[in-house]
Amino acid sequence: MAEEAILGYLAKNEEIGDSGEFASKHGLNHDEVVNVIKSLHGFRYVEAQDIKRESWVLTNEGKLYADTGSPEAQLFLAIPPEGGIPREELQIKLGPLLFKIGCAQAAKNRWVDMGGQVTRRVQHVDDRVKDLLLKIKEGQVVDQDDIKALKARKLIVPQTWNGYSLKKGPDYAPQRKKFAADLTREMLQSGDWKNVEFKEYNFNAKGQPIEAGHLHPLNKVRHQLRMIFLQMGFEEMPTDRYVESSFWNFDALFQPQQHPARDSHDTFYLKVPSTTKELPEDYVERVKCVHESGGYGSRGYEYDWSREEANKNLLRTHTTAVSARMLYNLAQDTLKKPFTPKRYFSIDRVFRNEAVDRTHLAEFHQIEGLICDRGLTLGDLIGVLHDFFSRLGMSKLRFKPAYNPYTEPSMEIFSYHEGFGKWVEVGNSGMFRPEMLLPMGLPEDVRVIAWGLSLERPTMIMYGYNNIRDLFGHKVDLGLIKTNPICRLGL
Ligand code: FB9
């Protein structure tokens, strides 16, 4: 309707001077006319210029007085010309509000004497307020002082009217062309494609929301880290064993049985099944010895090692338990074939019975990398840490001596975070001790360098989470799972 009227009018006329007049002349809704003008302007069918008009419109109170007369005029007319009227009777006659406004204005205009008996002071009055309101209602020009007075009484308010003047645009046509959205098989076969104009691609158009599965931020970051490890030549370790024996989780790592981390306040022990079924007995014997009396140049911990303690089942407290199994298998392989260097990594859940807070839960995902080769040194560890963390965007590292029961030397890893403007602890690392490696049966000159960090910490920082419960657990907002952005790490 409006589109045909506008394009048809411009076919015979140079311009439409005022969209408001055009709409009323053609019996159209001006808002609809404005929307069509904006669309036609967007496709260059018309060239539109803004028209902005400030006008005044009556408030509801203003409309009432334009209809019934101002309160002061009504009050004057309610007073008998002779003798006047008692104040109370006049108030009842007009009603409290009209009486209150009318008295004030009539007294101000010196139309009445407001004693106990209200009397007229003049013979006749002109109701200018009503006349002015009627003029404004009809769109006539009114003196600024009068406007100011009516506005002060809240009888009129300003109104801005937005419209357009328009003329033919560079791509004007009496009818809107139908632009084809897609090139179809039929067009190609019939040859119609030669006469068809195609809609321009809107490269800023957002894609339709995909009602499909959405990856959790942790999975997105884990995938990126997995790619980084694979690019660095690492193989992924099998981490599908959450329940582990204390032997593989602690004893094989030369972690003494009195170590506080093995206390039930830090570790989840299982009731059923409470003990592991089988361990490699010859290896267990060597582990028992190295704990009790050392060997390989070590004096051990000189305590009575308990098999019962080693048999206890638990939820693994670190993925280093998996690393221990992998290194033991590697050592066993050297019985059949020569030792070959290996690079392993793992990213999976670990469980610790520790105090929970805003950034810690009783479980988290540990990321661990290790390199097993002859003659590795601390320098090799520092070098591979620079390579790894630089792929995470952390090129400024510092190392601080630390202690782990199963690595010596050990280092905490710090990175300078430009955003926070401070050094942030980003992981831990070290060289596995001979008391761990040699009972496995690895060759004497083989060294293992390893490091670890968590998956939640980088994910929280990258995705701006302040509370780990917004990222992991039953309170996670599934809407965020749908809308969280992609994660890009790695070279
Ligand atoms: O992840 C940690 N911090 C971190 C990592 C990345 C990161 O990226 C941001 C984008 C910039 C930010 C922060 N940390 C290790 C350090 C701290 O967060 C620490 O408070 C918490 N640690 C966890 C353990 O806490 C119970 C993080 C977790 C951790 C610590 C040590 C290891 C693994 C995970 C390890 C190890 C290890 C050592 C030697 C040999 C083999 C494994």
Side-chain angles (χ1 to χ4, degrees), residues 320 352 354 360 364 366-368 394 404 406-407 417 424-430 432 450-454 457-458 461-462:
T320 320
R352 298 192 184 182
E354 287 172 343
H360 291 85
F364 65 94
Q366 179 176 338
I367 300 164
E368 181 160 335
M394 296 181 237
N404 292 319
Y406 40 87
T407 54
H417 194 285
V424 172
E425 184 187 351
V426 294
N428 194 302
S429 64
F432 285 136
W451 72 97
L453 63 154
S454 81
R457 293 296 292 138
I461 291 173
M462 282 191 267

Side-chain angles (χ1 to χ4, degrees), residues 216-231:
H216 188 285
L218 283 174
N219 286 326
K220 290 180 175 174
V221 178
R222 177 167 66 173
H223 175 75
Q224 295 292 315
L225 281 151
R226 183 174 278 139
M227 292 302 112
I228 287 172
F229 274 115
L230 293 174
Q231 286 158 10

Side-chain angles (χ1 to χ4, degrees), residues 17 30 34 61 83 86 166 184 194 199 321 380 396 424 429 466 471:
H30 185 246
V34 164
E61 189 181 359
L166 56 149
T184 63
K194 295 173 192 148
K199 198 186 282 187
D380 296 309
K396 246 165 109 178
V424 172
S429 64
N466 288 319
L471 180 67

Side-chain angles (χ1 to χ4, degrees), residues 16-24 29-31 33-34 37 49-57 158-166:
I16 293 172
D18 181 309
S19 57
E21 288 168 15
F22 180 83
S24 54
N29 173 292
H30 185 246
D31 290 342
V33 168
V34 164
I37 290 171
Q49 295 293 329
D50 286 336
I51 303 176
K52 193 186 285 286
R53 272 201 287 274
E54 304 291 337
S55 63
W56 294 94
V57 290
Q159 184 182 64
T160 303
W161 179 87
N162 291 301
Y164 295 92
S165 67
L166 56 149

Side-chain angles (χ1 to χ4, degrees), residues 445-481:
D445 61 340
V446 165
R447 301 282 180 273
V448 181
I449 56 177
W451 72 97
L453 63 154
S454 81
L455 184 63
E456 282 76 5
R457 293 296 292 138
T459 305
M460 285 177 73
I461 291 173
M462 282 191 267
Y463 281 88
Y465 284 98
N466 288 319
N467 191 317
I468 196 165
R469 284 158 192 73
D470 297 331
L471 180 67
F472 191 75
H474 65 289
K475 290 186 176 171
V476 167
D477 171 0
L478 291 180
L480 283 180
I481 303 300

